């Protein structure tokens, strides 16, 4: 599954708590990204493991990794090892569900997160594709292909003419370069999801402006979780000890 | 500048056109993608090289013991043993260092995945052993040392582009196998071999890992992973030795990676990190699983 070409610091990294880049670090990153997509403190979570993860999650600490990510803890943070204790302190209720039979088309290392916070709900499916790298393949029924290497705006909008142009021109005015843009529709319905991946971190304050555009229903910013120099500054913790 | 490449042949051509060499080209590419100065990429490289050293020192300072009991101080035992048949300081250190880093990983310590956590001891083990034994002037801040880690990364990038670095998708050839090939290129770089010869060393190494199963006992990154890090360090050193002698791989690197992908696809799911076959399914392997449940 050749993805977007990797950089040096994708292969030499991440700095992480062992023992598995795919079953520990990758899972933590998927959960961390899911927390950004939910855009709220997670209150309830069902964590389903598929494929290799369903069989080996215990020994890899994949449960601790997923919980850590949901709490906003990155793979290199030593608090990952005792995330279940932190979860009970922070009022996160979770269940772990290993599913031995994968639906067709699922990557051999897949995690599905069903999250709730107040009225907000999120269904997110991610694959841990090796070396800590991830691919978010489904968000609330929209097929996606987010790898977390760049900041991304998820723009939920009415499926009508011109929304993409409005978003693109707003970003252009602020001189933000769009690295990748993809539009996704559910099977039926009138809503569409626009995924806008942008270079650098200059666009981080722009979610509100995008939300104000005609036809836009909701916007969240999913900050890059890439390693090292590729990503912008906060909120990542990587490289802090340099 | 065109930063794209799909094969080793293309990467070597671009690196040579740019006049930067393979490591320099890739550092510049990371910086261009991130929109930051090259010093920032090199700073992060230095930070990770240093982090790998801390893991190594931790693994040698006291016997590492995992919760399962499957990992129990092999690095310290090997480093303090005088009974090995090979008395070369570099070689002995490389084996002990690779073990040390990976034992720290198995015990939930902090490491740098390279390319994965289960294979994280191989490249730092070989490169730090060379530094300690043969080139004490090098360190995380030296360009030559950073370039060796970059050369190793280059091989990982190429494998990821045409195959995979995930044991669950391609078996252990994609993890410890990839790491051995990466370490061979990194060692080649430290020995002053040209970029093409470093990639050739990677091809020689990878050819000798093809088909490697990922069959971890009890689903833990311990057996056979930890000790395999030492074995793959030896593989990398063998490959760099052959390449330094001018021995070429009969099959070019890009084609070896193609074969690796084909073999990975053909491996049954039971041998791709599901712990349902191979060593995990042996009577002893199963008994560990039962004990730990």
């Amino acid at each position: 599954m050749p993805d977007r070409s990797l950089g040096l610091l994708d292969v030499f990294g991440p700095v992480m708590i062992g023992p598995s880049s795919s079953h520990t670090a990758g899972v933590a990153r998927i959960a961390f990204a899911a927390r950004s997509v939910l855009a709220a403190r997670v209150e309830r979570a069902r964590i389903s493991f598929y494929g290799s993860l369903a069989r080996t999650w215990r020994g890899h600490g994949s449960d601790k990794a997923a919980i850590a990510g949901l709490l906003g803890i990155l793979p290199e943070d030593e608090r990952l090892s005792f995330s279940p204790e932190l979860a009970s302190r922070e009022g996160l209720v979770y269940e772990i569900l290993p599913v031995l039979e994968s639906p067709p088309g699922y990557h051999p290392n897949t995690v599905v997160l069903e999250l709730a916070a107040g009225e907000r709900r999120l269904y997110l499916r991610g694959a841990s594709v090796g070396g800590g790298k991830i691919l978010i393949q489904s968000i609330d029924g929209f097929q996606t292909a987010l790898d977390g290497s760049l900041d991304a705006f998820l723009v939920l909008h009415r499926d009508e003419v011109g929304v993409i142009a409005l978003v693109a021109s707003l970003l252009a005015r602020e001189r933000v370069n769009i690295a990748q843009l993809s539009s996704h529709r559910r099977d039926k319905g009138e809503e569409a999801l626009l995924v806008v991946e942008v270079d650098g971190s200059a666009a981080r304050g722009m979610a509100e402006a995008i939300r104000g555009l005609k036809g836009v229903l909701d916007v969240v910013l999913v900050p890059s979780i890439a390693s090292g120099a590729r990503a912008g500054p906060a909120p990542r913790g990587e490289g802090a000890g340099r | 500048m065109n930063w794209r490449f799909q094969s080793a042949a293309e990467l070597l051509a671009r690196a040579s056109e740019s006049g930067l060499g393979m490591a320099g080209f890739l550092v510049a590419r990371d910086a261009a993608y991130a929109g930051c100065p090259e010093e920032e990429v090199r700073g992060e490289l230095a930070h990770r090289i240093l982090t790998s050293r801390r893991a190594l020192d931790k693994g040698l300072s006291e016997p590492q013991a995992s919760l399962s009991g499957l990992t129990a101080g092999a690095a310290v035992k090997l480093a303090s043993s005088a009974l090995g048949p090979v008395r070369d300081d570099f070689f002995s250190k490389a084996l002990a260092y690779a073990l040390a880093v990976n034992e720290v990983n198995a015990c939930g310590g902090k490491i740098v995945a390279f390319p994965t956590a289960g294979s994280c001891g191989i490249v730092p083990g070989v490169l730090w052993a060379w530094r300690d034994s043969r080139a004490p002037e090098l360190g995380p801040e030296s360009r030559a040392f950073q370039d060796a880690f970059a050369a190793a990364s280059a091989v990982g990038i190429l494998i990821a582009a045409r195959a995979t670095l995930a044991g669950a998708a391609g078996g252990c050839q994609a993890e410890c196998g990839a790491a051995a090939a990466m370490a061979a290129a990194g060692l080649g770089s430290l020995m002053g071999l040209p970029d093409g010869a470093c990639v050739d060393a990677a091809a020689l190494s990878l050819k000798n890992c093809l088909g490697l199963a990922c069959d971890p006992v009890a689903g833990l990154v311990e057996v056979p992973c930890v000790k395999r890090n030492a074995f793959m360090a030896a593989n990398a050193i063998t490959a760099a030795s052959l390449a330094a002698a001018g021995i070429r791989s009969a099959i070019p690197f890009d084609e070896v990676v193609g074969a690796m992908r084909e073999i990975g696809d053909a491996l049954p799911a039971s041998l791709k990190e599901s712990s349902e076959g191979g060593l995990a399914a042996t009577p002893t392997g199963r008994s560990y699983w039962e004990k730990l449940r």
Side-chain angles (χ1 to χ4, degrees), chain A residues 45-61:
Chain A
R46 178 190 283 161
I47 300 160
S48 305
F49 292 132
Y50 292 83
S52 165
L53 275 168
R55 289 164 179 83
T56 65
W57 61 276
R58 232 184 271 272
H60 288 123

Side-chain angles (χ1 to χ4, degrees), chain A residues 109-171:
Chain A
N109 258 336
T110 290
V111 54
V112 170
L113 298 166
E114 291 161 274
L115 309 181
E119 295 298 302
R120 294 185 81 97
R121 298 283 180 277
L122 174 70
Y123 171 98
L124 181 144
R125 174 161 59 88
S128 183
V129 298
K133 286 162 282 295
I134 64 166
L135 201 59
I136 293 169
Q137 297 179 306
S138 174
I139 297 175
D140 285 335
F142 295 108
Q143 299 302 307
T144 56
L146 260 183
D147 66 4
S149 64
L150 297 168
D151 279 6
F153 288 104
L154 306 185
V155 183
L156 185 70
H157 63 93
R158 281 197 293 274
D159 193 9
E160 61 188 31
V161 179
V163 176
I164 296 176
L166 285 175
V167 174
S169 60
L170 179 72
L171 291 169

Side-chain angles (χ1 to χ4, degrees), chain A residues 2 5-9 11-19 21 23 52 55 59-60 76 109 129 131 227-230 238 242, chain B residues 29-30 33-34 44 48 105 108-117 149-150 153 160-161 166 168 219-221 261 273 276 289:
Chain A
S5 182
L6 302 177
L8 292 179
L9 295 170
V11 175
F12 188 25
V15 175
M16 55 165 282
I17 306 304
S21 48
H23 292 57
S52 165
R55 289 164 179 83
H60 288 123
E76 78 160 81
N109 258 336
V129 298
S227 318
R230 175 159 303 197
E238 287 212 27
R242 212 187 295 169
Chain B
R29 176 174 173 265
D30 260 36
Y33 280 177
E44 186 61 32
R48 295 186 188 190
N105 177 64
K110 188 182 274 198
I111 53 93
V112 191
F114 201 21
T116 64
F149 280 82
S153 288
L220 299 167
V221 193
R261 180 180 181 133
E273 212 169 351
E276 289 175 334
W289 192 294

